[in-house]
């Protein structure tokens, strides 16, 4: 999982890897309803085999952060 030192997903936008902005060849969602909704908009989406997102509270050593992990349907992170 990737951990970013920011308080929310929106606040992390400038810290996300370039591939999340520029090279998104495949869209992955965490539930079937989301896949159907995305596909209804004309975007090819697939159900992720693992999709984790959580906000981590601040500690004595660091501020709050966001941890996320998205795996392709085959369980790999090679979904770009």
């Amino acid at each position: 999982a990737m951990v970013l030192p920011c308080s929310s997903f929106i606040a992390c936008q400038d810290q996300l890897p370039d591939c999340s902005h520029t090279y998104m060849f495949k869209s992955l969602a965490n539930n079937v309803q989301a896949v159907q909704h995305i596909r209804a908009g004309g975007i090819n989406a697939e159900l992720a085999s693992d999709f984790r997102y959580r906000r981590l509270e601040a500690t004595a050593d660091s501020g709050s952060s966001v941890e996320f992990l998205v795996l392709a349907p085959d369980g790999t992170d090679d979904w770009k």
Side-chain angles (χ1 to χ4, degrees), residues 5 8 14 33 38 43 46-47 51 55 61 76:
S8 70
D14 65 337
Q33 293 80 15
I38 294 166
I43 298 168
E46 294 184 49
L47 185 60
F51 194 112
R55 184 172 182 262
D61 297 325
T76 68

Side-chain angles (χ1 to χ4, degrees), residues 1-4 9 12 15-17 20 51-54 66-70 79:
M2 178 181 283
V3 177
L4 299 173
F9 186 76
C12 288
Q15 297 178 51
L16 291 173
S20 64
F51 194 112
R52 290 183 249 163
Y53 172 85
R54 67 183 179 135
V66 173
E67 176 183 58
F68 66 94
L69 171 72
V70 179
W79 48 269

Side-chain angles (χ1 to χ4, degrees), residues 26-27 35-46:
K26 190 177 292 185
S27 293
V35 169
Q36 292 170 343
H37 182 75
I38 294 166
R39 287 181 179 171
I43 298 168
N44 183 24
E46 294 184 49

Side-chain angles (χ1 to χ4, degrees), residues 4 8-9 14 21 31 41 52 59 64 67 73 77-78 80:
L4 299 173
S8 70
F9 186 76
D14 65 337
H21 298 287
N31 64 66
R52 290 183 249 163
T59 67
S64 61
E67 176 183 58
D77 65 357
D78 187 27
K80 297 184 235 24

